[in-house]
Amino acid sequence: MVGLTSAAGLVGFLSAPEPELKSFALQRLNDEVDLLWTEIADSVGQIESLYEDVNFPERELAALVVAKIYYHLQEYDESMTFALGAGKLFNLDRGGEFEDTIIAKCVDTYIALSAMHNPVTSASSTQQIPPSLITAFPQNNDGGASTSASLASPTTPFSQSTLPSKSLLSRQATLSTFDPAQPGGGNAGVPGAHPSPLALDRGIQRNLQNVIEQLFERCYREGRYRQVVGIAIEARRLDVLREVIHRASQEDTSQRDASQKSSPADRAEELMDYILELCMSVVQERGLRNEILKLILDLLNEIPTPDYFAIAKCVVYLNQDSLASGILKQLVSKGELKYSAIAYQIAFDLYDNGTQEFLATVAEGLPADAPEAEGSKEEQKMEVAQDDNGENAKESDQLLSELDDRSGAPAPSSIGAHEKGDEVAPQQRKIYADIRDILRGTKSIELNLEFLYRNNHTDISILNKVKDSLEARNSIFHTAVTFSNAFMNSGTTSDVFFRNNLEWLGKAVNWSKFTATAALGVIHRGNLGQGQKLLEPYLPRDAVVAGSVYSQGGSLYALGLIYANHGTNVLDYLRDQFRKSGEEVVQHGGALGLGVAGMATGSDEIYDELKRVLYTDSALNGEAVGLAMGLVMLGTGNLRAIQDMASYAHDTQHEKSVRGLAIGMALIMFGRQEAADELINGLLEDPDPTLRYGGIMSLAMAYCGTSSNKAVRKLLHVAVSDVSDDVRRVAVMSLGFILFRKPSSVPRMVELLSESYNPHVRYGAAMALGISCAGTGLNEAIDLLEPMIKDPTDFVRQGALISLAMILVQQNEAMNPKVTSIRKTLQRIVGDRHEDAMAKFGCALALGIIDAGGRNCTIGLQTQTGNLNMPGIVGMAVFTQYWYWFPLTHFLSLSFTPTSIIAVDHELDPIKLQFHCATRPSLFDYPPEQEAKTDETPEKVATAVLSTTAQAKRRAQKKEKQQRRESMDIDPAPATPKTANAGDKMETEDEVKAAAEKGDEEMKEPKDGEKDTPPEGTKKKSEKEREKVGYEIDNMSRVLPGQLKYISFQDERYEPVKKPTGGVILLNDRSPTSEKQRLELKAKKVVEKAAPAPDAAAAASSSLNDRIDAAYRAAGAGTAGQGSAGAGAGAGGAEAAAGVLTAVDEDEEGAEEAEVPREFEYHSDGEGEGEE
C-alpha cells in the first residue's frame, strides 16, 4: 500500500465521536509516525487525552504513538513513561532505534530507582563528627567542624560556595534535581539526598519491572551474564546478583550432566572472578564493595569445592582474619599434599596482600600446641599492640565504624576443622610451622633475595660514569650517586661499588654520610639472616659513642629498610636504641627505621615512644617522628593518633614537624575512602599550606587506586585554585595515585596541565605520569614527558627524567623502541657540565631507577593478584617528599617488586625445572650492557691554521719543488725537505702516526680475522636460532608481567596449584616419593663478615686518610679471598666502607682540619681572552 504523504486526515479522525474511527486513526498513525511525526506532534495533547481516558479501549496504542512522538522530539523521559504505559504493545524483541533507546532509558531509570531505595550502608555507621576531631580543626557556629570553605580559606574565591550552580566542581553540592542518566541516579555516596526520580504510578513501575525482568531473561538465555551483573551492581541489587550467579551455576550443572564430564572453565567461577575484578577496579563506594564481597564469600562457601584463592582475596580486603585462619585449618585438615600446597599458596598470597597486624592475627588463629611452633612463635614474636580490653580496636574504629562485627560474613567456625586447643596430628605440625614462616614473610623474602642475587645484571660501567661525571665534593652530587647505586643494586646484596670507590666514599660528610650508610639497607633489603650483623660496626653502642653520629643514625635507618614491613626481630632493638639515644641525628634515623620496619603494626608502645620524642619540639626529629607515627598506624584510622597529631601540628612552630605530621595523618587514612572525608575536609580548609598539603596527601592515600570521580574532581579543583605552589603541585601529582589502575587515562587528563605556566604544576603533571604509568612503557606518557626534558625550569626537567625512568623500567628496545634513545639522553645529561645541578640529580636517580634491582625489579603499586601493594604505594608517597628531605628518597625501594616465577614444591624447596615461553627470546630479554671504551685518552684537537699561513705554506712548497727540479744534484732523499719544513711538521707527524697505526691494524687484521671469524659466524647463527618462537627458561628466572601470558608448564611431574601470576608458585607433586632435584640457594652460603667495631681512641687519633688506607688494605685482602663480584664482594664492600663511613667528619669537634686549598692564578678578563 502506498504510504501517506500527510497526516491531516488521520488527525481529524481523532476528534470523531466513534471509538472505532479513533482506533483506526491511531493504528495508521502508529505505522506512519516515523515519517509524519512533525505533523502529528501538534496533536500530541489530543492523543495523550485518549491515553488518559480509562474507558477508551485502545489507550495502550495511544500511549505507544505518544511515546514515539516524544522519542522523535528527543524527550526521552516522557517517551519512556508512555512506552511503559503501552504495556505489551511495546515489544522488546523488535530491533529498532526506538526500542533500543527506550530499553537503555528503562535500565537507567531502574538503576536510579533501585539505588534510591537501596542506599548503601556507609563505611561509617554514624554520621556524627567524632568529638575529638571537632577540637582539631576550625569550627563553625554550631560547634562542629566546618566542611565548607571559610573566609580564612585561601581558596575562597574558587570554593564551591561561590561557583555557579552549573559548574562541574559544585554540581554534587548544588544539584537538586534527580538525573537518571547518571549511574546510581547521581546519588552515589549521598544516601537519601534527592526526592523520587520520576513520578511513576504503580502500574508504570510494574511495567518497568516487567521490562527489566524480560531483559534479564533474554540475557540468561543468550548466556550474557555479565550484562546482568553490571546492572545489578549499579542498582545495588544484591538479590539480583545472587540470582545471576545461581543461574550460571545451574547452567554449569546441566551442561556437566549432559556431557558427563566437568567443563574446564565453569561460568559461575568466571562470573565470580569478573565480579571480584569489578569490586576492586570499578566499584568506588566502600560500603557497597564490602557487601558484594560478603555476598561472594557466602556463595563461595556454599560450593562443595570453592575457589580458595578468590576467598583469600575477599578476606584480605574485608580484614576477615578469623576466616583466613579457618580456611588454612580446613585445607591442612584434609591431609593431602594437594591441599597442603593450596594452603601454602594462600599463605603466600595473604603475605603479599596483608598487613603485619592482619598476618599476626591470622597466625595466632592457627593451632599452636606444638612445642616447635610455640618456640618459633616466641622467637619471631611480632610487636603488635593489642590491648586486653580492646581499647585500641575501639579507637581505630570509632572514626570509621568499619563493619567489624563481620555481619553477613560466614562464621569462622563453619569452615574450621578444629580450634586452637584441639589435638593436631604430628604430620600437620610441620605444615602449620611452615605456614607461620610464610605469614611472617621469612620464606618469601628468602626466595626473592635468592632470585635477585642469582640474576643480578647491574651495569657497573653506567654507575662509574655517573660517579665520574658528578663532582663528589658537592654533597648533592655525592648523594645522587649514592641513590643511583642503591637503586641499581637494591636487594642484590652487592655493594662492591663502595669497596671499589673508598676514596669517593670518604668525601661524604654529615647527611651525605647518613644517606650513604642507609643505602646499605636498600642494597641488603631482605637479608634477614645477616642484616644486623652486617651493620654491626655502624650501629650505636651503649658504652661509648665511637665514630660519626650520622653513620649511626643512618645505620638504624638502614636496619629498618632491611626489615621493611617485616620488623619481626628488630623492633625491640630499634625501639631500645631510639629511647636511649640523646643525639638528634641518631633519633632521626631510629624513627625512620622504626617506622619502616613497624609498618602497619598498629603498635601502641612504638607510637607512644615516638610521641614522647615528638613533644620535645625538635625540628630535626619532628619530621621523621611524625612520618614514623603514620607508618606504624598505617591504614588503621586510629582516632587517638589523628587527634594527637592534628592538635600538635597546630601548636608547633616548626614547619618540618608540621609536614611530617601531615604526611603521617595521610598514611593513617590509607585506603579508608569515605571514612577519611572528614579529616580531608578539615585539612584542606586550614589556613596553613603545609596542612593543606597533608589534606591532599590524605585524599591520595584514602582513595588510592579507586579511580574515584569525586577525588579526581577535588584534586583538579585544588590544582587550579590554591594559592600555594606546593599544594597545587601535590594535587596534580596525586592524580597518579588515584588513577594508577587506569594508566591510559592519565596522559589525557594531565596534557593541558603539563603545559601550565606554573612550573610546579608542570612538575606535578610529570610525576603523576611516572607514578600512574610506572613499568608500562606507555607511549602517550612518554610523548608528553620528552618535551619536558627541555623545560626551562630545572626541577621540571628533574621530574620528567625521574618519571621517564619509572615508565621505562624493565623495557627493552623490542618492547619500546624509544628506550635506547632515552638511555643515551640520560647519560648525556648526567655528563653535561653545563646542566643544572637539580636536573643532574634527577638524571642520576633516573639511571638507578631504570635498572632497579639489577634489572630484575619493576615498580608495582598493585600486587600480582590485583590488590593494592601497600608497601609500594607508601614507599612511592614518601619518596615524593625528597623535594624537602633527600634521605626519604630511599623509600622508593619499597616500590621495587621482583619480576620472577619461583616454583616450589610442598616442602617449600625451589625445584630444578623449566617453563616454556611461547614468544621470541629478544622480546623480553635484558637490555644490552653499555660497551666500555678501551681508550679514554682525549683526542688531539687539530691546530687552527690561518688562511694567510696556509697561503704562505703553499708558496714555499711550490718554490722548493721548483728549486729541486732546477737543481742538478740528485742526492737528497725525498722525505728530507718535508721533515725540514717547519710549516708541515705537525701534519707530517700526524700522517706518519696514522700510517703506522693503520699499518699495525692491517698487520693484525689477518690474525684477528682468523681468531674472530668462527665466533662471528657462531654469533650470527645463534642470533638466528634465538629468534625462533618458543624457548625454555629455568626456574627462578626473570619473567616480566607482560610475559606471564606466554608462560606454560610442560613438566610431567609437577603442576601449579593455580594459574601463574608471578612470584612464588606452589607445585603439586604427582610423584612425591620420587627423588627430586632442588635448586641450591647460593645467597644462603655467603657468610657476611662484619667489620671490627671501631675503637673510640683509635678513631679520634687516626685521620680520615689513614682510615681510607686501612679500608683499602682490608678490601684488597677480602678480594683476594673472595674472587667474585657477588654477595661476597658485597660483604667486602660493607666491611671496607665501615672504616670510612664511621669516621668523624672533618667539621666535627676533635677532627682534623681540612686541607688548605692549593694556590691558583687569577687572570683578568682581558688576559684570559687569548688563551680561551
Side-chain angles (χ1 to χ4, degrees):
M1 186 173 64
V2 179
L4 296 176
T5 58
S6 175
L10 294 175
V11 171
F13 283 163
L14 295 176
S15 302
E18 294 83 0
E20 292 80 6
L21 287 178
K22 296 178 181 179
S23 300
F24 171 76
L26 288 174
Q27 187 63 49
R28 292 301 306 273
L29 289 174
N30 182 49
D31 296 336
E32 305 293 339
V33 67
D34 292 335
L35 296 175
L36 305 176
W37 66 270
T38 54
E39 290 186 64
I40 306 172
D42 294 335
S43 304
V44 68
Q46 191 174 1
I47 303 175
E48 281 188 37
S49 63
L50 294 177
Y51 166 70
E52 295 171 356
D53 185 1
V54 294
N55 296 321
F56 183 65
E58 297 291 342
R59 60 191 304 266
E60 292 184 350
L61 181 59
L64 183 61
V65 174
V66 173
K68 291 183 178 180
I69 295 173
Y70 277 123
Y71 164 73
H72 287 292
L73 292 173
Q74 296 185 2
E75 298 290 345
Y76 299 124
D77 286 337
E78 289 81 358
S79 178
M80 180 203 66
T81 303
F82 283 101
L84 292 174
K88 295 181 180 180
L89 294 181
F90 177 63
N91 186 6
L92 274 70
D93 296 328
R94 179 186 175 186
E97 291 184 5
F98 168 70
E99 286 77 13
D100 292 343
T101 303
I102 298 304
I103 290 174
K105 199 66 184 177
C106 287
V107 171
D108 290 340
T109 306
Y110 170 78
I111 290 173
L113 282 168
S114 300
M116 182 65 65
H117 294 112
N118 298 281
V120 178
T121 303
S122 176
S124 176
S125 60
T126 176
Q127 299 299 324
Q128 297 178 356
I129 301 171
S132 55
L133 279 185
I134 294 178
T135 62
F137 300 108
Q139 300 178 6
N140 56 25
N141 295 332
D142 299 330
S146 173
T147 57
S148 62
S150 63
L151 293 177
S153 173
T155 62
T156 297
F158 303 93
S159 64
Q160 293 186 7
S161 60
T162 58
L163 286 171
S165 59
K166 293 185 178 180
S167 171
L168 287 175
L169 299 177
S170 62
R171 179 171 296 171
Q172 186 175 4
T174 61
L175 193 63
S176 59
T177 58
F178 190 86
D179 185 4
Q182 296 184 13
N187 279 303
V190 187
H194 299 303
S196 178
L198 285 175
L200 302 179
D201 58 30
R202 293 186 179 276
I204 299 297
Q205 291 185 15
R206 283 196 299 269
N207 290 343
L208 176 63
Q209 185 68 30
N210 292 334
V211 168
I212 297 300
E213 289 177 358
Q214 292 177 39
L215 186 62
F216 286 171
E217 287 296 331
R218 188 168 69 181
C219 291
Y220 293 151
R221 289 195 305 269
E222 299 174 0
R224 296 185 297 170
Y225 295 101
R226 294 192 175 190
Q227 283 82 346
V228 183
V229 166
I231 295 174
I233 290 178
E234 282 201 69
R236 303 168 186 166
R237 291 292 300 272
L238 300 186
D239 55 335
V240 176
L241 200 59
R242 183 186 292 269
E243 173 65 21
V244 68
I245 295 175
H246 278 307
R247 292 288 292 266
S249 181
Q250 291 173 4
E251 183 179 347
D252 292 338
T253 304
S254 60
Q255 288 182 355
R256 281 197 296 266
D257 293 341
S259 60
Q260 297 298 324
K261 64 179 181 179
S262 60
S263 59
D266 294 336
R267 284 181 180 270
E269 292 183 6
E270 291 181 354
L271 204 57
M272 281 192 276
D273 289 340
Y274 175 68
I275 295 172
L276 277 175
E277 182 182 353
L278 288 181
C279 279
M280 300 302 176
S281 59
V282 176
V283 178
Q284 297 183 2
E285 297 134 311
R286 190 175 186 184
L288 176 61
R289 187 183 298 129
N290 288 349
E291 292 181 10
I292 295 174
L293 291 177
K294 288 176 180 179
L295 172 63
I296 294 176
L297 280 178
D298 282 339
L299 296 172
L300 288 173
N301 283 282
E302 293 174 3
I303 302 175
T305 56
D307 184 356
Y308 293 105
F309 303 110
I311 294 177
K313 186 183 292 188
C314 293
V315 298
V316 169
Y317 188 87
L318 293 172
N319 203 28
Q320 298 273 354
D321 46 74
S322 57
L323 185 56
S325 302
I327 294 172
L328 295 173
K329 289 188 288 187
Q330 181 188 16
L331 290 169
V332 174
S333 65
K334 292 181 180 292
E336 298 181 20
L337 291 179
K338 175 183 177 181
Y339 291 105
S340 63
I342 294 176
Y344 287 146
Q345 185 68 67
I346 290 177
F348 278 114
D349 291 347
L350 291 176
Y351 173 74
D352 288 338
N353 299 291
T355 64
Q356 290 193 61
E357 185 178 17
F358 173 80
L359 297 172
T361 311
V362 172
E364 288 178 0
L366 300 176
D369 58 344
E372 61 268 22
E374 288 289 348
S376 175
K377 181 180 176 182
E378 289 300 323
E379 293 173 3
Q380 305 281 347
K381 185 177 180 182
M382 198 168 294
E383 289 295 325
V384 180
Q386 294 181 351
D387 297 339
D388 296 336
N389 58 359
E391 183 180 351
N392 185 33
K394 182 178 179 182
E395 289 174 346
S396 298
D397 299 332
Q398 184 178 353
L399 178 62
L400 308 173
S401 302
E402 188 62 50
L403 298 175
D404 283 339
D405 56 350
R406 301 333 190 222
S407 59
S413 59
S414 63
I415 60 173
H418 41 68
E419 293 302 325
K420 198 169 182 178
D422 294 344
E423 190 66 27
V424 180
Q427 63 270 21
Q428 295 178 1
R429 292 178 181 174
K430 181 181 181 300
I431 297 177
Y432 283 122
D434 290 339
I435 289 176
R436 283 192 180 84
D437 284 340
I438 296 171
L439 292 176
R440 280 191 293 266
T442 308
K443 199 65 184 177
S444 294
I445 294 173
E446 177 187 347
L447 293 172
N448 284 329
L449 184 73
E450 177 69 21
F451 160 72
L452 294 174
Y453 173 80
R454 282 172 171 264
N455 299 278
N456 185 9
H457 281 71
T458 300
D459 192 349
I460 198 68
S461 62
I462 297 177
L463 199 55
N464 287 331
K465 182 175 181 179
V466 174
K467 177 186 70 71
D468 295 337
S469 302
L470 302 180
E471 177 55 54
R473 289 178 295 181
N474 192 331
S475 63
I476 185 176
F477 289 156
H478 194 287
T479 303
V481 178
T482 300
F483 289 139
S484 184
N485 173 43
F487 291 159
M488 280 190 189
N489 295 288
S490 175
T492 63
T493 72
S494 174
D495 50 15
V496 63
F497 179 78
F498 280 163
R499 185 191 63 191
N500 295 339
N501 298 279
L502 292 176
E503 186 175 353
W504 166 85
L505 193 62
K507 296 179 181 179
V509 294
N510 298 339
W511 289 105
S512 295
K513 185 171 292 185
F514 178 93
T515 306
T517 309
L520 291 173
V522 178
I523 295 172
H524 291 274
R525 184 188 170 200
N527 194 358
L528 305 182
Q530 302 164 359
Q532 193 165 354
K533 180 182 178 183
L534 181 79
L535 294 173
E536 186 178 346
Y538 304 89
L539 295 169
R541 284 172 173 75
D542 298 335
V544 61
V545 177
S548 172
V549 293
Y550 293 97
S551 66
Q552 294 175 18
S555 65
L556 294 177
Y557 184 17
L559 190 61
L561 289 169
I562 291 176
Y563 289 85
N565 198 30
H566 183 77
T568 309
N569 296 326
V570 297
L571 283 178
D572 284 335
Y573 175 80
L574 286 171
R575 192 172 65 181
D576 185 58
Q577 293 296 331
F578 178 74
R579 182 174 57 251
K580 290 180 180 178
S581 176
E583 292 285 344
E584 288 187 336
V585 177
V586 179
Q587 286 183 340
H588 185 94
L592 292 176
L594 267 175
V596 71
M599 188 185 300
T601 57
S603 171
D604 277 345
E605 287 83 356
I606 299 178
Y607 173 81
D608 292 336
E609 200 69 48
L610 292 167
K611 186 172 68 171
R612 177 186 62 81
V613 176
L614 176 69
Y615 286 166
T616 61
D617 203 33
S618 168
L620 182 60
N621 290 337
E623 185 172 19
V625 170
L627 178 61
M629 292 165 73
L631 288 170
V632 171
M633 294 294 175
L634 177 64
T636 63
N638 189 288
L639 179 59
R640 180 170 70 93
I642 292 289
Q643 178 190 6
D644 294 342
M645 297 167 74
S647 299
Y648 189 79
H650 285 98
D651 294 339
T652 185
Q653 300 298 317
H654 299 300
E655 183 182 351
K656 291 173 69 68
S657 298
V658 176
R659 184 180 300 112
L661 291 168
I663 303 300
M665 286 188 284
L667 296 176
I668 293 177
M669 286 301 176
F670 176 84
R672 289 300 182 180
Q673 298 186 22
E674 296 91 354
D677 284 350
E678 192 62 43
L679 174 68
I680 293 169
N681 290 333
L683 291 174
L684 287 180
E685 291 156 11
D686 198 282
D688 188 349
T690 307
L691 286 179
R692 296 202 305 277
Y693 185 102
I696 294 296
M697 288 300 299
S698 299
L699 182 65
M701 293 294 97
Y703 289 91
C704 60
T706 63
S707 304
S708 169
N709 294 330
K710 178 178 69 174
V712 171
R713 189 182 300 118
K714 174 68 79 173
L715 291 175
L716 292 175
H717 171 47
V718 175
V720 298
S721 64
D722 201 279
V723 297
S724 170
D725 285 336
D726 288 348
V727 179
R728 298 179 68 177
R729 182 181 68 247
V730 75
V732 181
M733 189 192 308
S734 297
L735 291 170
F737 290 104
I738 305 294
L739 298 169
F740 67 78
R741 278 179 165 157
K742 297 180 180 178
S744 58
S745 64
V746 180
R748 184 176 65 255
M749 185 171 295
V750 303
E751 183 175 4
L752 292 178
L753 295 173
S754 66
E755 300 173 359
S756 170
Y757 74 93
N758 190 326
H760 292 267
V761 174
R762 298 200 301 272
Y763 173 88
M767 293 300 292
L769 290 169
I771 293 168
S772 60
C773 306
T776 62
L778 194 65
N779 285 322
E780 291 84 354
I782 296 174
D783 291 340
L784 284 180
L785 288 170
E786 281 184 320
M788 300 177 77
I789 297 177
K790 301 176 182 178
D791 194 276
T793 307
D794 51 0
F795 61 79
V796 177
R797 298 197 298 273
Q798 179 190 82
L801 293 169
I802 293 174
S803 296
L804 277 173
M806 291 181 182
I807 295 172
L808 293 174
V809 62
Q810 287 198 323
Q811 299 282 316
N812 59 20
E813 194 169 7
M815 299 168 68
N816 194 315
K818 293 185 177 181
V819 67
T820 303
S821 62
I822 290 176
R823 281 180 176 271
K824 291 180 179 178
T825 301
L826 293 175
Q827 296 183 21
R828 175 184 60 79
I829 293 175
V830 80
D832 187 356
R833 293 192 304 171
H834 304 289
E835 186 59 78
D836 292 319
M838 293 183 71
K840 295 176 80 171
F841 177 85
C843 190
L845 260 62
L847 286 169
I849 293 170
I850 201 170
D851 290 335
R855 297 182 173 179
N856 294 300
C857 289
T858 188
I859 296 177
L861 301 187
Q862 58 181 334
T863 63
Q864 300 280 6
T865 55
N867 285 22
L868 296 179
N869 180 13
M870 184 190 67
I873 296 172
V874 171
M876 180 66 74
V878 180
F879 161 72
T880 59
Q881 307 310 306
Y882 81 89
W883 180 280
Y884 303 102
W885 190 232
F886 281 157
L888 299 181
T889 309
H890 283 311
F891 269 83
L892 184 62
S893 63
L894 302 183
S895 302
F896 294 160
T897 304
T899 52
S900 64
I901 284 187
I902 304 173
V904 298
D905 64 354
H906 60 278
E907 295 181 353
L908 303 182
D909 293 326
I911 304 300
K912 277 189 178 181
L913 53 82
Q914 289 185 326
F915 314 126
H916 181 73
C917 184
T919 184
R920 295 178 291 109
S922 62
L923 185 58
F924 298 104
D925 201 4
Y926 287 97
E929 292 190 2
Q930 182 184 10
E931 296 181 2
K933 294 182 180 180
T934 55
D935 185 11
E936 295 291 343
T937 57
E939 298 180 359
K940 183 183 294 185
V941 180
T943 305
V945 180
L946 297 176
S947 57
T948 55
T949 307
Q951 291 175 1
K953 282 185 181 181
R954 285 195 295 272
R955 285 196 297 268
Q957 291 175 357
K958 185 176 181 182
K959 184 177 180 180
E960 185 180 356
K961 288 179 182 179
Q962 186 176 3
Q963 289 177 353
R964 284 202 303 270
R965 290 194 195 99
E966 294 175 355
S967 175
M968 298 298 296
D969 190 0
I970 60 172
D971 292 335
T976 303
K978 278 191 177 184
T979 305
N981 193 327
D984 287 347
K985 183 174 183 182
M986 290 297 296
E987 293 182 6
T988 304
E989 287 179 358
D990 291 344
E991 289 172 2
V992 171
K993 288 182 181 179
E997 289 175 1
K998 185 176 179 181
D1000 292 343
E1001 288 176 2
E1002 289 176 355
M1003 292 177 66
K1004 291 179 181 178
E1005 246 181 354
K1007 294 183 180 179
D1008 291 343
E1010 293 171 4
K1011 183 178 179 181
D1012 294 337
T1013 300
E1016 190 68 26
T1018 308
K1019 183 178 180 181
K1020 290 181 180 179
K1021 185 178 179 181
S1022 64
E1023 286 180 355
K1024 188 176 180 180
E1025 291 176 354
R1026 284 178 58 202
E1027 289 307 305
K1028 292 180 180 178
V1029 176
Y1031 63 102
E1032 306 297 321
I1033 58 176
D1034 295 328
N1035 186 17
M1036 207 171 275
S1037 297
R1038 187 183 83 153
V1039 177
L1040 303 185
Q1043 191 177 359
L1044 287 170
K1045 58 186 177 183
Y1046 301 104
I1047 297 295
S1048 61
F1049 288 78
Q1050 299 180 350
D1051 194 272
E1052 297 180 355
R1053 178 175 176 180
Y1054 298 101
E1055 63 173 351
V1057 298
K1058 73 166 187 176
K1059 183 180 179 181
T1061 56
V1064 181
I1065 297 293
L1066 265 294
L1067 301 177
N1068 182 30
D1069 192 352
R1070 297 190 181 97
S1071 303
T1073 57
S1074 304
E1075 185 178 357
K1076 61 182 179 181
Q1077 291 184 324
R1078 296 183 177 90
L1079 278 177
E1080 184 182 9
L1081 299 181
K1082 297 180 180 179
K1084 253 187 174 182
K1085 299 181 69 176
V1086 177
V1087 179
E1088 301 285 0
K1089 180 182 177 184
D1095 181 66
S1101 60
S1102 61
S1103 66
L1104 180 60
N1105 290 331
D1106 295 336
R1107 302 192 72 169
I1108 292 177
D1109 294 339
Y1112 266 120
R1113 290 193 296 270
T1119 307
Q1122 288 157 4
S1124 69
E1135 179 182 350
V1140 178
L1141 292 177
T1142 56
V1144 179
D1145 295 334
E1146 294 180 352
D1147 58 347
E1148 292 183 16
E1149 185 178 354
E1152 63 181 37
E1153 296 181 358
E1155 296 180 4
V1156 178
R1158 63 178 182 272
E1159 296 181 359
F1160 60 91
E1161 298 179 359
Y1162 178 80
H1163 299 279
S1164 65
D1165 294 339
E1167 294 174 356
E1169 287 178 358
E1171 297 179 4
E1172 292 176 359

